[in-house]
Amino acid sequence: MNSTTDNEWDVAVIGGGPAGAALGTFLSRAGHRCVVLEAAHFPRYHIGESLIPHTHGIFDRLGLLPKMRTSHFPVKHSVRFVSADGHEATPFYFSETIEGDRARTWQVERSEFDMMMLDHARESGVHVRDAGVKEVLFENDKAVGVRLNGSTNGEELRAKVVVDASGRACVIGRQLHLREELQDLRKASAWGYYRGGKRLPGIDAGETTMFMIPGGGWFWYIPLPDDIVSVGIVADPHYLLGDSDDMETAFLREVSKCAALSERLVSAERIGPVRGSRQLAYLNRQTSGDGWVMIGDARAFLDPIYSSGLYLALGSAELAAGSIDAALKSGDLSAAKLGAFEPALWKGVGIIRQLIHAFYDPEFSFPKFARRFPEQRAALIDCLIGDVVGKDMSSFTAALEQMTPPPGPLGG
Protein backbone atom coordinates (compact mmCIF):
# COMPACT_ATOMS: atom_id res chain seq x y z
CA MET A 1 0.00 0.00 0.00
CA ASN A 2 1.48 3.37 -1.05
CA SER A 3 -0.03 5.34 1.83
CA THR A 4 1.94 7.44 4.25
CA THR A 5 -0.43 6.46 7.04
CA ASP A 6 -3.32 4.05 7.51
CA ASN A 7 -5.24 6.80 9.30
CA GLU A 8 -5.60 9.00 6.21
CA TRP A 9 -7.78 7.99 3.27
CA ASP A 10 -9.38 9.45 0.20
CA VAL A 11 -12.65 7.68 1.00
CA ALA A 12 -13.87 5.96 4.17
CA VAL A 13 -16.89 3.72 3.56
CA ILE A 14 -19.13 2.74 6.49
CA GLY A 15 -20.39 -0.77 5.75
CA GLY A 16 -19.07 -3.67 3.68
CA GLY A 17 -22.34 -4.86 2.13
CA PRO A 18 -22.93 -4.80 -1.64
CA ALA A 19 -23.23 -0.99 -1.84
CA GLY A 20 -20.03 -0.32 0.10
CA ALA A 21 -18.08 -3.09 -1.63
CA ALA A 22 -19.16 -1.92 -5.10
CA LEU A 23 -18.37 1.73 -4.38
CA GLY A 24 -14.97 0.84 -2.97
CA THR A 25 -14.19 -1.29 -6.03
CA PHE A 26 -15.11 1.45 -8.50
CA LEU A 27 -13.14 4.13 -6.65
CA SER A 28 -10.09 1.96 -6.01
CA ARG A 29 -9.93 1.15 -9.72
CA ALA A 30 -10.11 4.91 -10.40
CA GLY A 31 -6.95 5.34 -8.32
CA HIS A 32 -8.38 6.48 -4.98
CA ARG A 33 -7.39 5.09 -1.58
CA CYS A 34 -10.47 3.52 0.00
CA VAL A 35 -11.06 1.84 3.32
CA VAL A 36 -14.26 -0.12 4.01
CA LEU A 37 -15.22 -0.41 7.68
CA GLU A 38 -17.46 -3.35 8.55
CA ALA A 39 -18.42 -4.31 12.12
CA ALA A 40 -19.97 -7.71 11.29
CA HIS A 41 -17.88 -10.81 10.74
CA PHE A 42 -18.45 -12.05 7.18
CA PRO A 43 -20.08 -14.25 6.03
CA ARG A 44 -23.18 -13.03 7.84
CA TYR A 45 -26.94 -13.36 7.32
CA HIS A 46 -28.88 -10.77 5.34
CA ILE A 47 -32.31 -10.60 3.71
CA GLY A 48 -32.87 -9.31 0.15
CA GLU A 49 -32.00 -12.22 -2.12
CA SER A 50 -33.51 -11.41 -5.51
CA LEU A 51 -31.58 -9.52 -8.18
CA ILE A 52 -33.05 -7.79 -11.22
CA PRO A 53 -31.50 -7.90 -14.71
CA HIS A 54 -30.30 -4.30 -14.82
CA THR A 55 -27.56 -5.29 -12.37
CA HIS A 56 -25.93 -7.22 -15.26
CA GLY A 57 -24.13 -4.17 -16.60
CA ILE A 58 -22.96 -3.19 -13.11
CA PHE A 59 -21.52 -6.67 -12.53
CA ASP A 60 -19.80 -6.45 -15.89
CA ARG A 61 -18.21 -3.09 -15.05
CA LEU A 62 -17.20 -4.39 -11.63
CA GLY A 63 -15.59 -7.44 -13.21
CA LEU A 64 -17.89 -9.79 -11.26
CA LEU A 65 -19.76 -11.44 -14.14
CA PRO A 66 -17.41 -14.45 -14.43
CA LYS A 67 -17.93 -15.22 -10.73
CA MET A 68 -21.69 -14.85 -11.01
CA ARG A 69 -21.85 -17.10 -14.09
CA THR A 70 -19.94 -19.90 -12.35
CA SER A 71 -21.87 -19.57 -9.07
CA HIS A 72 -24.56 -22.02 -7.96
CA PHE A 73 -27.13 -19.25 -7.57
CA PRO A 74 -30.43 -20.11 -9.34
CA VAL A 75 -30.91 -18.22 -12.61
CA LYS A 76 -33.93 -15.91 -12.69
CA HIS A 77 -35.67 -15.27 -16.04
CA SER A 78 -39.01 -13.86 -14.96
CA VAL A 79 -41.50 -12.65 -12.36
CA ARG A 80 -44.96 -14.21 -11.91
CA PHE A 81 -48.00 -12.87 -10.03
CA VAL A 82 -50.58 -15.21 -8.50
CA SER A 83 -53.91 -13.62 -7.56
CA ALA A 84 -55.57 -14.07 -4.19
CA ASP A 85 -57.94 -16.64 -5.73
CA GLY A 86 -54.99 -18.68 -7.03
CA HIS A 87 -55.04 -17.59 -10.68
CA GLU A 88 -51.52 -17.52 -12.13
CA ALA A 89 -50.87 -14.70 -14.60
CA THR A 90 -48.54 -15.16 -17.56
CA PRO A 91 -44.98 -14.51 -16.32
CA PHE A 92 -43.22 -11.30 -17.26
CA TYR A 93 -40.12 -12.66 -18.99
CA PHE A 94 -37.19 -10.27 -19.08
CA SER A 95 -36.31 -11.51 -22.58
CA GLU A 96 -39.38 -9.64 -23.88
CA THR A 97 -37.34 -6.42 -23.76
CA ILE A 98 -33.72 -7.63 -23.39
CA GLU A 99 -31.71 -9.78 -25.77
CA GLY A 100 -29.16 -12.41 -24.89
CA ASP A 101 -27.42 -13.00 -21.58
CA ARG A 102 -28.56 -9.69 -20.09
CA ALA A 103 -32.15 -11.02 -19.97
CA ARG A 104 -31.42 -13.13 -16.93
CA THR A 105 -30.19 -12.58 -13.41
CA TRP A 106 -29.78 -14.56 -10.19
CA GLN A 107 -31.40 -15.39 -6.86
CA VAL A 108 -28.56 -15.05 -4.36
CA GLU A 109 -27.87 -16.42 -0.91
CA ARG A 110 -26.76 -13.18 0.68
CA SER A 111 -24.07 -14.40 3.08
CA GLU A 112 -22.25 -15.96 0.14
CA PHE A 113 -22.98 -13.17 -2.35
CA ASP A 114 -21.98 -10.37 0.03
CA MET A 115 -18.74 -12.20 0.89
CA MET A 116 -18.03 -12.59 -2.84
CA MET A 117 -18.47 -8.85 -3.36
CA LEU A 118 -16.32 -7.88 -0.38
CA ASP A 119 -13.55 -10.29 -1.41
CA HIS A 120 -13.72 -8.81 -4.91
CA ALA A 121 -13.29 -5.33 -3.42
CA ARG A 122 -10.17 -6.53 -1.60
CA GLU A 123 -8.83 -8.00 -4.83
CA SER A 124 -9.45 -4.62 -6.46
CA GLY A 125 -7.25 -2.80 -3.95
CA VAL A 126 -9.79 -1.79 -1.30
CA HIS A 127 -8.56 -1.98 2.30
CA VAL A 128 -11.18 -3.72 4.48
CA ARG A 129 -11.12 -3.33 8.26
CA ASP A 130 -13.14 -5.30 10.80
CA ALA A 131 -14.34 -2.23 12.64
CA GLY A 132 -17.58 -0.47 13.37
CA VAL A 133 -18.07 3.28 13.27
CA LYS A 134 -19.15 5.09 16.43
CA GLU A 135 -19.65 8.44 14.75
CA VAL A 136 -18.73 10.58 11.77
CA LEU A 137 -16.38 13.46 12.50
CA PHE A 138 -17.33 16.94 11.33
CA GLU A 139 -15.45 20.22 11.18
CA ASN A 140 -17.54 23.28 10.30
CA ASP A 141 -20.36 21.00 9.04
CA LYS A 142 -17.97 19.14 6.71
CA ALA A 143 -17.32 15.42 7.24
CA VAL A 144 -13.61 14.81 7.75
CA GLY A 145 -13.42 11.23 9.04
CA VAL A 146 -14.84 8.69 11.48
CA ARG A 147 -14.32 7.55 15.05
CA LEU A 148 -14.27 3.77 15.44
CA ASN A 149 -16.23 1.64 17.89
CA GLY A 150 -14.62 -0.40 20.63
CA SER A 151 -11.44 1.61 20.64
CA THR A 152 -9.89 2.35 24.03
CA ASN A 153 -7.99 5.32 22.64
CA GLY A 154 -10.83 6.67 20.48
CA GLU A 155 -9.13 5.78 17.21
CA GLU A 156 -9.97 8.17 14.39
CA LEU A 157 -9.58 7.77 10.65
CA ARG A 158 -9.38 10.89 8.51
CA ALA A 159 -10.92 10.88 5.04
CA LYS A 160 -11.60 13.42 2.33
CA VAL A 161 -15.01 11.80 1.76
CA VAL A 162 -17.12 9.68 4.12
CA VAL A 163 -19.67 7.38 2.51
CA ASP A 164 -22.53 5.91 4.54
CA ALA A 165 -23.24 2.42 3.18
CA SER A 166 -24.41 1.11 6.56
CA GLY A 167 -27.81 -0.09 5.36
CA ARG A 168 -30.73 0.20 7.77
CA ALA A 169 -28.32 1.31 10.51
CA CYS A 170 -28.28 4.71 8.72
CA VAL A 171 -25.22 5.91 10.65
CA ILE A 172 -25.17 9.48 9.30
CA GLY A 173 -28.96 9.70 9.09
CA ARG A 174 -29.34 8.86 12.76
CA GLN A 175 -26.39 10.99 13.86
CA LEU A 176 -27.76 14.06 12.06
CA HIS A 177 -31.43 13.18 12.79
CA LEU A 178 -32.28 12.94 9.09
CA ARG A 179 -33.97 9.52 9.05
CA GLU A 180 -37.76 9.33 9.11
CA GLU A 181 -40.37 6.69 8.40
CA LEU A 182 -42.45 6.89 5.24
CA GLN A 183 -45.97 7.02 6.62
CA ASP A 184 -47.59 6.49 3.22
CA LEU A 185 -45.82 3.10 2.87
CA ARG A 186 -46.50 1.52 6.24
CA LYS A 187 -45.83 -2.18 5.71
CA ALA A 188 -44.59 -4.91 8.02
CA SER A 189 -42.84 -8.08 6.92
CA ALA A 190 -42.10 -11.56 8.28
CA TRP A 191 -40.07 -14.23 6.52
CA GLY A 192 -38.58 -17.68 6.86
CA TYR A 193 -36.89 -20.47 4.88
CA TYR A 194 -37.98 -23.90 3.71
CA ARG A 195 -36.12 -26.89 2.36
CA GLY A 196 -37.88 -28.89 -0.35
CA GLY A 197 -40.37 -26.33 -1.65
CA LYS A 198 -41.72 -27.03 -5.14
CA ARG A 199 -40.01 -25.42 -8.14
CA LEU A 200 -41.47 -24.97 -11.59
CA PRO A 201 -39.97 -26.76 -14.59
CA GLY A 202 -37.46 -25.38 -17.10
CA ILE A 203 -36.48 -21.74 -17.08
CA ASP A 204 -39.29 -20.99 -14.62
CA ALA A 205 -37.48 -22.90 -11.85
CA GLY A 206 -35.67 -19.77 -10.67
CA GLU A 207 -38.46 -17.22 -11.05
CA THR A 208 -39.69 -14.93 -8.31
CA THR A 209 -43.34 -15.71 -7.60
CA MET A 210 -45.61 -13.19 -5.88
CA PHE A 211 -48.72 -14.60 -4.15
CA MET A 212 -51.37 -11.95 -3.53
CA ILE A 213 -53.49 -12.11 -0.38
CA PRO A 214 -56.73 -10.25 0.39
CA GLY A 215 -56.32 -6.73 1.70
CA GLY A 216 -53.32 -5.70 -0.36
CA GLY A 217 -50.64 -7.95 1.14
CA TRP A 218 -48.46 -10.48 -0.67
CA PHE A 219 -45.94 -13.28 -0.29
CA TRP A 220 -42.62 -13.67 -2.07
CA TYR A 221 -41.33 -17.11 -3.07
CA ILE A 222 -37.64 -17.06 -4.05
CA PRO A 223 -35.68 -20.22 -4.94
CA LEU A 224 -32.18 -20.28 -3.44
CA PRO A 225 -29.27 -22.75 -3.67
CA ASP A 226 -29.27 -26.12 -1.89
CA ASP A 227 -33.02 -26.74 -2.31
CA ILE A 228 -33.92 -23.78 -0.07
CA VAL A 229 -36.69 -21.28 -0.78
CA SER A 230 -37.11 -17.89 0.87
CA VAL A 231 -40.73 -17.14 1.75
CA GLY A 232 -41.90 -13.83 3.15
CA ILE A 233 -45.04 -11.80 3.63
CA VAL A 234 -45.50 -8.03 3.34
CA ALA A 235 -48.75 -6.56 4.66
CA ASP A 236 -50.30 -3.81 6.75
CA PRO A 237 -48.71 -4.01 10.22
CA HIS A 238 -52.07 -3.89 12.01
CA TYR A 239 -53.38 -6.78 9.91
CA LEU A 240 -50.21 -8.86 10.18
CA LEU A 241 -49.23 -8.27 13.80
CA GLY A 242 -51.92 -6.27 15.61
CA ASP A 243 -50.42 -5.30 18.96
CA SER A 244 -48.06 -8.28 19.00
CA ASP A 245 -44.48 -8.71 17.83
CA ASP A 246 -44.84 -12.50 17.48
CA MET A 247 -43.48 -12.81 13.93
CA GLU A 248 -43.57 -16.62 13.86
CA THR A 249 -47.24 -16.92 14.81
CA ALA A 250 -48.24 -14.24 12.27
CA PHE A 251 -46.12 -15.77 9.51
CA LEU A 252 -47.35 -19.35 9.96
CA ARG A 253 -50.97 -18.19 10.22
CA GLU A 254 -50.75 -16.39 6.90
CA VAL A 255 -48.89 -19.21 5.12
CA SER A 256 -51.66 -21.63 6.11
CA LYS A 257 -54.31 -19.23 4.75
CA CYS A 258 -52.67 -18.85 1.29
CA ALA A 259 -53.70 -22.05 -0.52
CA ALA A 260 -51.57 -21.50 -3.64
CA LEU A 261 -48.46 -20.93 -1.54
CA SER A 262 -49.21 -23.79 0.85
CA GLU A 263 -49.43 -26.15 -2.13
CA ARG A 264 -45.83 -25.27 -3.04
CA LEU A 265 -44.74 -26.04 0.54
CA VAL A 266 -46.76 -29.21 1.11
CA SER A 267 -43.63 -31.41 1.24
CA ALA A 268 -41.25 -28.75 2.53
CA GLU A 269 -39.64 -28.40 5.96
CA ARG A 270 -39.21 -25.00 7.57
CA ILE A 271 -35.66 -24.36 8.73
CA GLY A 272 -34.27 -21.64 10.97
CA PRO A 273 -36.12 -18.83 12.73
CA VAL A 274 -38.86 -16.54 11.43
CA ARG A 275 -37.54 -12.99 11.20
CA GLY A 276 -39.38 -9.75 10.58
CA SER A 277 -39.78 -6.01 10.77
CA ARG A 278 -42.79 -3.95 11.83
CA GLN A 279 -41.88 -1.00 9.59
CA LEU A 280 -39.97 -1.32 6.30
CA ALA A 281 -40.08 2.06 4.57
CA TYR A 282 -37.98 5.09 5.50
CA LEU A 283 -35.85 7.79 3.94
CA ASN A 284 -33.41 10.53 4.89
CA ARG A 285 -34.40 14.14 4.30
CA GLN A 286 -30.86 14.89 3.10
CA THR A 287 -28.60 12.29 1.46
CA SER A 288 -25.38 14.18 0.73
CA GLY A 289 -23.47 17.02 2.34
CA ASP A 290 -20.04 18.60 2.37
CA GLY A 291 -17.63 15.70 2.55
CA TRP A 292 -20.26 12.94 2.79
CA VAL A 293 -22.70 10.86 0.76
CA MET A 294 -25.25 8.12 1.50
CA ILE A 295 -25.77 5.09 -0.79
CA GLY A 296 -27.97 2.00 -0.82
CA ASP A 297 -30.32 1.33 2.10
CA ALA A 298 -28.50 3.99 4.14
CA ARG A 299 -30.29 6.51 1.85
CA ALA A 300 -33.78 5.02 1.85
CA PHE A 301 -35.80 1.84 1.62
CA LEU A 302 -39.26 1.76 0.07
CA ASP A 303 -40.62 -1.77 -0.33
CA PRO A 304 -39.34 -5.20 -1.44
CA ILE A 305 -42.09 -5.75 -4.04
CA TYR A 306 -39.91 -5.23 -7.15
CA SER A 307 -36.66 -6.58 -5.71
CA SER A 308 -35.19 -3.13 -6.22
CA GLY A 309 -33.13 -3.06 -3.01
CA LEU A 310 -29.95 -4.69 -4.32
CA TYR A 311 -30.22 -2.89 -7.66
CA LEU A 312 -30.53 0.50 -5.95
CA ALA A 313 -27.62 -0.41 -3.68
CA LEU A 314 -25.37 -1.27 -6.62
CA GLY A 315 -26.73 1.43 -8.90
CA SER A 316 -26.38 4.20 -6.33
CA ALA A 317 -22.85 2.99 -5.56
CA GLU A 318 -21.83 3.25 -9.22
CA LEU A 319 -23.45 6.65 -9.71
CA ALA A 320 -21.98 7.98 -6.47
CA ALA A 321 -18.54 6.66 -7.41
CA GLY A 322 -18.63 8.78 -10.55
CA SER A 323 -19.50 11.93 -8.59
CA ILE A 324 -16.95 11.21 -5.85
CA ASP A 325 -14.23 10.53 -8.43
CA ALA A 326 -14.96 13.88 -10.11
CA ALA A 327 -15.06 15.67 -6.75
CA LEU A 328 -11.74 14.24 -5.57
CA LYS A 329 -10.04 15.08 -8.86
CA SER A 330 -11.37 18.65 -8.79
CA GLY A 331 -10.77 19.20 -5.08
CA ASP A 332 -14.38 20.33 -4.70
CA LEU A 333 -15.91 18.17 -1.96
CA SER A 334 -19.11 20.19 -1.61
CA ALA A 335 -22.56 18.66 -1.28
CA ALA A 336 -23.40 19.87 -4.80
CA LYS A 337 -20.39 18.15 -6.34
CA LEU A 338 -20.60 14.92 -4.34
CA GLY A 339 -24.37 14.70 -4.83
CA ALA A 340 -24.34 15.49 -8.55
CA PHE A 341 -25.71 12.01 -9.27
CA GLU A 342 -28.77 12.42 -7.06
CA PRO A 343 -31.36 14.05 -9.38
CA ALA A 344 -31.23 11.17 -11.88
CA LEU A 345 -31.28 8.58 -9.10
CA TRP A 346 -34.20 10.17 -7.24
CA LYS A 347 -36.19 10.44 -10.47
CA GLY A 348 -35.77 6.69 -11.01
CA VAL A 349 -36.66 6.00 -7.37
CA GLY A 350 -39.78 8.12 -7.86
CA ILE A 351 -40.91 5.90 -10.74
CA ILE A 352 -40.39 2.78 -8.63
CA ARG A 353 -42.30 4.41 -5.78
CA GLN A 354 -45.21 5.26 -8.08
CA LEU A 355 -45.34 1.64 -9.19
CA ILE A 356 -45.27 0.48 -5.57
CA HIS A 357 -48.29 2.64 -4.79
CA ALA A 358 -50.07 1.26 -7.85
CA PHE A 359 -49.42 -2.28 -6.68
CA TYR A 360 -51.10 -1.64 -3.33
CA ASP A 361 -54.17 -0.04 -4.95
CA PRO A 362 -56.89 -2.75 -4.74
CA GLU A 363 -58.30 -1.58 -8.09
CA PHE A 364 -54.97 -2.04 -9.89
CA SER A 365 -53.18 -5.13 -11.17
CA PHE A 366 -50.34 -5.66 -13.62
CA PRO A 367 -52.34 -8.01 -15.87
CA LYS A 368 -55.19 -5.45 -16.07
CA PHE A 369 -52.71 -2.67 -16.82
CA ALA A 370 -51.02 -4.72 -19.56
CA ARG A 371 -54.40 -5.50 -21.16
CA ARG A 372 -55.56 -1.89 -21.07
CA PHE A 373 -52.24 -0.42 -22.23
CA PRO A 374 -50.53 -3.15 -24.29
CA GLU A 375 -48.15 -0.55 -25.74
CA GLN A 376 -46.80 -0.03 -22.18
CA ARG A 377 -45.98 -3.69 -21.47
CA ALA A 378 -42.34 -3.16 -22.47
CA ALA A 379 -42.09 -0.12 -20.18
CA LEU A 380 -43.62 -2.13 -17.33
CA ILE A 381 -40.98 -4.81 -17.83
CA ASP A 382 -38.34 -2.05 -17.86
CA CYS A 383 -39.52 -1.17 -14.35
CA LEU A 384 -39.35 -4.81 -13.27
CA ILE A 385 -35.77 -5.11 -14.55
CA GLY A 386 -34.68 -1.78 -13.04
CA ASP A 387 -34.16 0.17 -16.27
CA VAL A 388 -35.62 3.44 -14.96
CA VAL A 389 -32.66 5.69 -14.11
CA GLY A 390 -31.91 8.34 -16.73
CA LYS A 391 -34.79 7.18 -18.93
CA ASP A 392 -37.93 9.00 -20.13
CA MET A 393 -40.83 7.08 -18.56
CA SER A 394 -43.39 9.88 -18.87
CA SER A 395 -45.77 8.04 -21.20
CA PHE A 396 -45.70 5.01 -18.88
CA THR A 397 -46.41 7.05 -15.74
CA ALA A 398 -49.18 8.95 -17.56
CA ALA A 399 -50.84 5.63 -18.42
CA LEU A 400 -50.35 4.45 -14.83
CA GLU A 401 -52.10 7.56 -13.53
CA GLN A 402 -55.18 6.71 -15.61
CA MET A 403 -55.64 3.60 -13.46
CA THR A 404 -54.36 4.71 -10.06
CA PRO A 405 -53.58 8.11 -8.49
CA PRO A 406 -49.88 8.88 -7.97
CA PRO A 407 -48.43 9.27 -4.47
CA GLY A 408 -47.69 12.65 -2.98
CA PRO A 409 -44.21 14.20 -2.88
CA LEU A 410 -41.49 11.87 -1.57
CA GLY A 411 -41.37 12.20 2.18
CA GLY A 412 -44.70 14.03 2.32
Side-chain angles (χ1 to χ4, degrees):
M1 188 173 288
N2 23 351
S3 62
T4 56
T5 170
D6 283 345
N7 288 327
E8 297 179 3
W9 300 88
D10 293 329
V11 184
V13 184
I14 308 170
L23 178 110
T25 299
F26 282 125
L27 288 175
S28 180
R29 290 184 173 187
H32 303 294
R33 297 188 58 251
C34 299
V35 60
V36 168
L37 305 163
E38 173 55 60
H41 178 71
F42 276 43
R44 55 90 175 97
Y45 172 79
H46 207 285
I47 190 60
E49 297 121 341
S50 194
L51 292 169
I52 53 180
H54 216 52
T55 55
H56 187 283
I58 302 174
F59 288 142
D60 191 17
R61 293 184 289 276
L62 283 169
L64 263 170
L65 268 184
K67 294 177 183 178
M68 294 300 294
R69 286 172 175 149
T70 58
S71 73
H72 66 154
F73 300 138
V75 178
K76 172 184 172 183
H77 294 270
S78 59
V79 176
R80 184 189 309 256
F81 295 89
V82 181
S83 68
D85 63 7
H87 174 72
E88 296 193 8
T90 302
F92 290 91
Y93 289 103
F94 309 135
S95 58
E96 292 183 41
T97 61
I98 307 175
E99 293 183 357
D101 192 45
R102 300 172 68 89
R104 64 174 196 161
T105 188
W106 294 270
Q107 311 280 26
V108 298
E109 199 279 318
R110 283 292 300 274
S111 63
E112 182 179 346
F113 173 76
D114 291 9
M115 190 76 199
M116 177 192 300
M117 290 211 61
L118 194 58
D119 285 344
H120 188 73
R122 287 190 181 96
E123 294 164 9
S124 300
V126 178
H127 185 75
V128 179
R129 279 195 61 174
D130 296 328
V133 171
K134 182 177 182 179
E135 63 179 341
V136 176
L137 303 174
F138 289 88
E139 293 178 0
N140 299 320
D141 295 327
K142 178 183 179 182
V144 295
V146 297
R147 179 173 288 114
L148 302 184
N149 270 328
S151 176
T152 55
N153 60 356
E155 182 182 359
E156 297 179 358
L157 302 184
R158 308 293 284 189
K160 297 174 183 176
V161 180
V162 176
V163 178
D164 189 354
S166 63
R168 296 184 73 90
C170 296
V171 169
I172 291 180
R174 293 181 191 276
Q175 182 176 337
L176 299 184
H177 306 291
L178 299 171
R179 187 184 188 275
E180 59 185 34
E181 293 184 354
L182 273 174
Q183 299 300 327
D184 60 328
L185 280 175
R186 289 193 62 81
K187 301 295 176 184
S189 183
W191 61 88
Y193 297 87
Y194 290 80
R195 178 177 284 111
K198 291 183 182 179
R199 304 194 184 204
L200 299 175
I203 67 169
D204 296 333
E207 74 170 26
T208 294
T209 311
M210 310 288 198
F211 294 90
M212 307 300 107
I213 62 175
W218 59 281
F219 275 98
W220 73 71
Y221 189 92
I222 299 172
L224 296 175
D226 303 322
D227 200 25
I228 304 298
V229 292
S230 171
V231 179
I233 184 173
V234 178
D236 179 272
H238 299 294
Y239 167 80
L240 184 61
L241 295 166
D243 295 326
S244 169
D245 285 321
D246 187 346
M247 296 290 175
E248 181 168 343
T249 297
F251 176 76
L252 296 178
R253 178 194 71 226
E254 293 304 312
V255 168
S256 68
K257 288 166 59 177
C258 184
L261 171 62
S262 295
E263 197 278 330
R264 294 256 189 124
L265 298 173
V266 66
S267 300
E269 171 194 10
R270 185 168 65 86
I271 57 174
V274 172
R275 298 174 169 92
S277 174
R278 180 174 278 275
Q279 170 65 14
L280 296 175
Y282 60 88
L283 55 68
N284 289 276
R285 296 188 306 276
Q286 179 185 349
T287 49
S288 61
D290 294 347
W292 63 268
V293 176
M294 298 175 184
I295 60 173
D297 285 358
R299 293 172 60 86
F301 184 84
L302 300 182
D303 194 277
I305 179 63
Y306 304 121
S307 304
S308 60
L310 270 174
Y311 164 64
L312 290 175
L314 298 173
S316 65
E318 183 173 25
L319 290 171
S323 293
I324 294 169
D325 175 51
L328 287 168
K329 288 176 177 174
S330 70
D332 178 0
L333 303 177
S334 65
K337 190 73 172 179
L338 290 171
F341 70 98
E342 295 198 313
L345 179 64
W346 278 122
K347 186 175 181 181
V349 170
I351 294 168
I352 293 172
R353 177 170 174 258
Q354 187 170 347
L355 205 59
I356 290 169
H357 276 261
F359 175 83
Y360 287 114
D361 183 340
E363 302 302 316
F364 177 88
S365 78
F366 290 122
K368 285 197 294 187
F369 178 81
R371 286 194 297 270
R372 180 171 171 182
F373 300 102
E375 75 281 3
Q376 296 296 336
R377 182 178 175 89
L380 176 58
I381 295 175
D382 284 344
C383 292
L384 297 177
I385 66 176
D387 189 11
V388 295
V389 177
K391 192 168 186 176
D392 182 8
M393 302 290 287
S394 56
S395 62
F396 170 76
T397 56
L400 201 61
E401 288 171 17
Q402 293 186 51
M403 290 189 67
T404 180
L410 197 61

